[in-house]
Amino acid sequence: MAIALSELLDEKQVILRLRSRKLPNALREIIQVLAHNGKIENEQKFLEQVLAREQAHPSVVENGVVFPHARTDLVNEIVIGIGGSRAGIPIGADQQRAQLLFVIGVPERLLNDYLICVGTLARLVKDDAIRSRLLQAETPREFIDALIATL
């Protein structure tokens, strides 16, 4: 992978306790943080792209984790925004609850890097001990450190 996962993780792009209880609002919250940090050129358009993808192909919640994303020209590099919800955000037709949302924006040219990135994240959060540390993190730095320590 040309880009190390640790380089994509930034504590300024982590919200440990989302205020929102519905997916569109939770995505908006996370995307606002990405935009605020200069990672996305057009916040509203990116949100629309992620929501359109979710409408066409809803993300699957596994182990309380979900990876909503968009392949887009609105980002120059892979960007990851993370949101946590202790109660969980209901997702998809079966309304399974996701406690961790990794919102990812990926330029078309980095599709292979994206697949490696998501594969690595999915493998990490599948581990009960790692997922527990992430859910119990008190600060965004602690959250990122818990993820990076496992790489």
Side-chain angles (χ1 to χ4, degrees), residues 111-138:
L111 184 56
N112 286 338
D113 287 347
Y114 160 76
L115 294 173
I116 293 167
C117 165
V118 169
T120 302
L121 283 170
R123 180 179 46 78
L124 293 173
V125 298
K126 192 181 289 187
D127 182 286
D128 291 337
I130 294 170
R131 201 172 54 257
S132 179
R133 279 198 304 275
L134 296 175
L135 290 168
Q136 293 173 10
E138 293 296 323

Side-chain angles (χ1 to χ4, degrees), residues 58-120:
S59 292
V60 176
V61 178
E62 286 190 39
N63 300 309
V65 182
V66 71
F67 300 96
H69 66 279
R71 285 183 273 185
T72 179
D73 59 359
L74 297 173
V75 296
N76 297 319
E77 61 185 10
I78 296 174
V79 298
I80 302 175
I82 304 166
S85 170
R86 299 237 166 141
I89 306 291
I91 296 178
D94 60 0
Q95 295 292 284
Q96 262 200 300
R97 293 187 176 269
Q99 293 177 294
L100 291 174
L101 291 83
F102 290 81
V103 178
I104 304 170
V106 60
E108 293 286 346
R109 65 183 166 73
L110 293 178
L111 184 56
N112 286 338
D113 287 347
Y114 160 76
L115 294 173
I116 293 167
C117 165
V118 169
T120 302

